[in-house]
Amino acid sequence: DTNGDGVLTREEFEDVLKDEHIKSYLAILELDGGAGDHLFEMLVDGGHRVTSEEFVRIAMRLKGSARSQDVVSIRFDCARMHKKLEEMSLVLKALESRGAPRP
């Protein structure tokens, strides 16, 4: 958190991942800091920022074997796909209400 506002942006998170102490902390938690973008996406859950408290809470939830991190990653991907499918469903319903033929 470079500006002291209590949250990490993607840029701040990428800078944090360059710190050897943070790399060691993530290694102890068996988290892949090398996959920074993907890890950040899991931490922010669709947002653009994460508080330090959220970071620690979620990182601890991800703690464990790579298998645990993979499961959380898959859950995140499924939630994102579910949201997109809901959006597509709304668009299709809107088109149907306008009389567009169903594919």
Side-chain angles (χ1 to χ4, degrees):
D1 178 19
T2 56
N3 63 3
D5 66 354
V7 296
L8 290 173
T9 63
R10 180 180 303 276
E11 294 79 23
E12 289 173 325
F13 184 73
E14 290 170 0
D15 287 341
V16 165
L17 290 180
K18 295 174 186 172
D19 184 306
E20 291 301 319
H21 291 94
I22 299 298
K23 287 181 185 179
S24 297
Y25 175 72
L26 292 176
I28 289 169
L29 295 178
E30 298 179 26
L31 296 175
D32 182 9
D37 280 344
H38 195 64
L39 182 57
F40 185 79
E41 290 297 323
M42 287 190 293
L43 292 170
V44 298
D45 194 24
H48 300 287
R49 304 166 7 147
V50 63
T51 67
S52 56
E53 292 85 12
E54 289 171 324
F55 174 83
V56 171
R57 182 179 52 80
I58 296 169
M60 292 305 292
R61 194 173 92 211
L62 294 172
K63 180 184 176 189
S65 68
R67 181 180 199 127
S68 175
Q69 186 175 357
D70 292 340
V71 169
V72 172
S73 176
I74 291 168
R75 288 181 59 194
F76 170 77
D77 291 340
C78 287
R80 185 172 49 196
M81 285 189 292
H82 185 264
K83 183 177 179 183
K84 291 289 183 189
L85 286 171
E86 285 179 334
E87 291 169 1
M88 289 174 22
S89 177
L90 291 173
V91 169
L92 285 173
K93 287 179 183 179
L95 289 173
E96 286 177 346
S97 70
R98 294 181 187 166
R102 191 172 196 150

